[in-house]
Amino acid sequence: MQIVSCPSCGAEVKFRSAASVMAVCEYCNTRVLKEADAVRDLGKISSVLEDYSPIQIGTSGVLGGRPFNVVGRIQLRYDAGMWNEWYLMFDDATTGWLGDASGQYMITTLRQPESALPAFESLRAGQQYKINNEHYTAADVRTADCIGGQGELPFKAGDGWQARVADFRRGSSFVTLDYSDEGPPALYTGVPVTLESMQCQLLRDDEQIKQSAGRYRGKLDKLDCPSCGSPIQYLPGMTANLVCHACHTQIDASSPKVEVLAAGESVERQRFTLDLGASGKLGNQEFTVIGAMRRADDEGTQWTEYLLYGPRAGFTWLVETDEGWSRANVLDVWPTWDGGSTATLDKAEFEKLYTYGSVVTYAAGAFNWRVKAGDRTRVAEFKRQQVSLAAELTDEELTWSRSTPLAFDQLKAWFGTSVHGSAPVSGPKLAEQAGRYKRSAKNFIIVMLVLNAIPLLASMDNGGFGAQFAYSMLGALAIYLPAIFLDSIDKQ
C-alpha cells in the first residue's frame, strides 16, 4: 500500500493496488493522479448519486478460492438507466471488476485476446461474434457517461468521461469488451455471481444505507408525481425509472432531486387484473407488484406484464394473456441458439414457435429500466412441454427469459382480493368461441340467399333483378356488420 497526501486538501489518499493510477480523495473528491515520483491534482469528480448499494469501499469476498477487496468504484449512466462498476484487488495482486445493476452482479477479470477483436461500430445486439476462438452473442452495446467515482481506479476518469462497452454471452460465460481508451479494446471474461456465493463481508446494512441515501434500499416508498401529485410506489435504489399511473409522466428518481423526463398527458385510468402495490407470498417469498405494462404484437393482440419485487428474491414477472397466466424470470445463464429452429438450455432442446414484433402501449409504476409507450422489441419464442423461452431484442440489448404456466386459482391464493375478474377462457374453448358471431352470420346469410334464389330468378323476367339483388345485399350487410362488431367486443 502507498499513502500520499491529497494535493488539494492534504488528507491521506491510499493506493492499495500497484495497478491503480488514480484515486479519489474521500474528503474533497479531488482526483489524485499517481506518477513516478509525485502526485498530481486532476480536478474534482462528482460524488456518486444516492448510494443504495450494499457494497462499499472495503467490502471483501472470495471468488474461486481467491480473496478480494473492493478498492474503488465508478458510477455510469446510459439512456435507460445506471449501474456501478466496483474495482477489485485480489490477494494475489491481480485486479477485476464487479458489475452492480439492479441487484444483479457480474465479476470480470482482464484477459489477453488471442485474436483480433471486432470494431465497436460493427457490433449489433443479438449478433454472434468469435472471441478467443469461441462464438458469443452480443447481449448489449452501450455508450455510458461517468457520473461519479470513489476510491482508486486503474485509469483516469472524471466528469465527461465516457465508457464504450459491449457485453457478450455464451451459456454461463460472460465477456466484456471495453473500447473506452484509444487502441485495441480491453477483454474481460467473467461469470454471474451473488453476494452470498462470494461470501461478502463488510456490506452495508439497511440503517447505513438509509443514513447515506435517506431511504431504505429495496423497501417500498412513495413519491409524489412532480406533474400531478399522484403518489407512486417505488423501490429506492432498485427502480429509479417511474411512470405515473395518473398522468403518464416519466420520472427519474435516481438523483437527489427528482427529474421529470417527459411531461405526460392525462390518460384514462387503465384497469388491471392485478393491482399495483398488491402483496402476496409466492412460495416462501414475499413479493409486491411494483409495475405494470401492456404490450401488443404485430397483429394487435395485447397482453399485460406485471413486475414484482421480493426483498430476498429480487425481480420476477407475471404475464397475463387471453390464454391464461405465466410466471417469468430473466435468465443469467443463456440458452445456446444459432438462429435456427431450436435453442438448448440445460441440455434440453426447445422448439421455436414464432417471431414477432412487440410495442409497449401503456406503462405505469416503477421499473428497473426506463420504459415508455412506443418502446419496440423483436421477440422469438421457444417451447418444450410446459416451459417457454423468449429472446427479446432491441437495438442495444438482447435478453432471455424462461416462463412456466400459472393457474388462476394459484394467483388468487397468492394475492387474494387484489385479483379482479375471473379465469380467462383458454385452449379449445377459446378457439371455438373466436369469431362465433361472424360464423353464425355467414350461415344465416347463406340460408337467406338460398331462400331468395327463386324470387331472384323470377325477377329477371320482369326486370326487377337489380333492385331485388340490392335488397338482398343490404340485408346481408345488416347481418354481417353487427357480427364483426360483436366479435371484436368478444375478443376484448
Side-chain angles (χ1 to χ4, degrees):
M1 178 187 296
Q2 182 180 2
I3 300 177
V4 301
S5 296
C6 172
S8 178
C9 71
E12 284 188 351
V13 177
K14 297 177 181 179
F15 286 88
R16 299 169 181 83
S17 171
S20 300
V21 299
M22 189 193 92
V24 179
C25 175
E26 61 180 298
Y27 296 98
C28 69
N29 276 5
T30 294
R31 295 177 298 149
V32 180
L33 177 66
K34 181 177 67 174
E35 296 180 325
D37 55 357
V39 292
R40 184 153 54 94
D41 185 342
L42 293 178
K44 308 286 187 182
I45 187 173
S46 296
S47 299
V48 293
L49 297 180
E50 290 187 354
D51 186 7
Y52 291 98
S53 177
I55 304 169
Q56 62 183 334
I57 305 296
T59 292
S60 61
V62 179
L63 179 69
R66 301 165 61 212
F68 66 82
N69 284 275
V70 175
V71 297
R73 164 168 66 159
I74 55 173
Q75 200 170 57
L76 298 162
R77 179 188 289 276
Y78 61 106
D79 57 356
M82 57 182 289
W83 81 96
N84 289 309
E85 289 286 349
W86 298 92
Y87 185 45
L88 310 179
M89 185 179 71
F90 290 89
D91 280 6
D92 59 7
T94 59
T95 59
W97 291 91
L98 173 59
D100 170 10
S102 298
Q104 291 185 304
Y105 303 97
M106 186 77 62
I107 278 191
T108 57
T109 54
L110 186 64
R111 292 288 184 267
Q112 188 65 33
E114 299 174 7
S115 58
L117 298 172
F120 183 75
E121 292 73 19
S122 69
L123 299 177
R124 298 292 182 272
Q127 299 296 311
Q128 288 200 343
Y129 300 87
K130 194 171 184 179
I131 301 173
N132 278 6
N133 299 317
E134 298 284 355
H135 288 283
Y136 288 83
T137 302
D140 61 70
V141 182
R142 302 193 186 281
T143 298
D145 296 315
C146 175
I147 57 173
Q150 284 180 305
E152 53 192 281
L153 298 168
F155 49 77
K156 292 186 289 184
D159 296 348
W161 181 81
Q162 285 191 323
R164 298 197 304 163
V165 292
D167 294 333
F168 301 80
R169 299 269 194 154
R170 184 176 63 86
S172 60
S173 299
F174 187 90
V175 166
T176 294
L177 296 183
D178 187 347
Y179 297 82
S180 304
D181 298 326
E182 294 183 4
L187 168 67
Y188 295 86
T189 62
V191 291
V193 293
T194 64
L195 299 182
E196 292 78 13
S197 69
M198 295 186 296
Q199 305 170 41
C200 284
Q201 304 293 321
L202 298 180
L203 295 171
R204 298 194 308 160
D205 60 27
D206 286 349
E207 288 301 325
Q208 290 174 306
I209 291 172
K210 187 186 180 195
Q211 287 175 11
S212 65
R215 297 180 177 90
Y216 288 112
R217 176 182 186 265
K219 292 187 179 180
L220 274 179
D221 205 339
K222 287 186 178 179
L223 176 74
D224 290 339
C225 173
S227 180
C228 71
S230 297
I232 306 171
Q233 289 188 324
Y234 78 113
L235 295 161
M238 304 293 287
T239 54
N241 297 288
L242 315 181
V243 182
C244 177
H245 63 87
C247 70
H248 236 205
T249 293
Q250 286 182 272
I251 303 161
D252 180 0
S254 64
S255 59
K257 184 177 180 180
V258 174
E259 176 187 358
V260 177
L261 298 175
E265 298 178 359
S266 180
V267 294
E268 182 180 352
R269 183 174 176 84
Q270 298 279 322
R271 296 181 62 186
F272 292 102
T273 303
L274 195 55
D275 286 338
L276 284 173
S279 294
K281 197 167 187 178
L282 284 64
N284 60 351
Q285 302 287 345
E286 294 285 346
F287 280 90
T288 300
V289 181
I290 60 172
M293 64 177 177
R294 288 215 164 96
R295 297 169 67 184
D297 64 15
D298 298 325
E299 297 179 353
T301 301
Q302 295 201 35
W303 66 96
T304 306
E305 299 180 0
Y306 302 88
L307 179 59
L308 280 64
Y309 177 78
R312 295 178 56 194
F315 295 101
T316 192
W317 290 89
L318 296 181
V319 182
E320 177 188 12
T321 71
D322 288 340
E323 298 181 355
W325 288 76
S326 60
R327 180 179 177 180
N329 289 291
V330 176
L331 292 173
D332 280 332
V333 177
W334 276 22
T336 301
W337 181 45
D338 60 4
S341 60
T342 61
T344 304
L345 179 65
D346 296 333
K347 299 182 180 180
E349 284 197 349
F350 290 74
E351 294 293 329
K352 184 178 178 182
L353 299 179
Y354 28 68
T355 59
Y356 55 91
S358 77
V359 59
V360 176
T361 60
Y362 182 88
F367 300 89
N368 55 339
W369 84 100
R370 189 171 297 171
V371 60
K372 63 182 183 300
D375 286 349
R376 294 185 176 275
T377 59
R378 192 71 187 166
V379 184
E381 288 199 15
F382 303 77
K383 192 166 186 179
R384 177 185 173 89
Q385 298 176 357
Q386 296 298 307
V387 181
S388 299
L389 301 178
E392 300 195 28
L393 177 66
T394 67
D395 290 339
E396 298 84 19
E397 185 176 19
L398 172 67
T399 59
W400 280 89
S401 61
R402 174 170 50 195
S403 62
T404 53
L406 175 64
F408 188 77
D409 289 344
Q410 182 64 70
L411 185 75
K412 291 281 288 185
W414 284 345
F415 292 99
T417 57
S418 296
V419 180
H420 308 291
S422 56
V425 178
S426 60
K429 188 175 180 182
L430 179 65
E432 180 183 333
Q433 290 191 1
R436 55 180 172 163
Y437 294 107
K438 284 191 288 187
R439 287 197 299 271
S440 298
K442 287 178 183 177
N443 293 334
F444 188 83
I445 290 170
I446 290 172
V447 173
M448 180 188 72
L449 291 177
V450 169
L451 294 176
N452 286 339
I454 295 176
L456 279 171
L457 292 173
S459 66
M460 295 179 66
D461 297 333
N462 55 28
F465 176 78
Q468 188 71 25
F469 181 77
Y471 288 137
S472 296
M473 291 300 99
L474 286 174
L477 287 174
I479 296 170
Y480 195 68
L481 291 178
I484 295 176
F485 175 75
L486 289 172
D487 274 337
S488 68
I489 297 296
D490 207 21
K491 182 178 180 181
Q492 294 175 12

